[in-house]
Amino acid sequence: MPWVFFGIMCLYGLLSILFAFVRPPAGLDHFFKVPAIFTFLPDHLVMPVGRIFVGLLCIGVMVFLYIRLAPTL
């Protein structure tokens, strides 16, 4: 069961990074919000930097949890 969670986290992280450069479809746009802390950046950098940060953070947490849980799986 944790493999599904790891897959979802990895997919979300990769899509967040992808959608930092490409506009997401209208149906998926509400899933890729940017944290409010990035509103202090210039307007043209809010979405790319915020989505890249969220994507890298999600992938980083997934790797950390995999390393911590892999011996028990």
Side-chain angles (χ1 to χ4, degrees), residues 7-31:
I8 290 171
M9 284 185 66
C10 184
L11 182 66
Y12 183 78
L14 291 174
L15 285 176
S16 291
I17 293 171
L18 172 71
F19 291 147
F21 304 105
V22 179
R23 184 178 203 129
L28 296 176
D29 194 26
H30 65 278
F31 286 117

Side-chain angles (χ1 to χ4, degrees), residues 38-60:
F38 294 109
T39 58
F40 298 110
L41 292 172
D43 289 339
H44 65 280
L45 291 177
V46 172
M47 287 303 208
V49 172
R51 286 184 177 158
I52 288 172
F53 177 78
V54 169
L56 291 176
L57 184 67
C58 191
I59 291 172

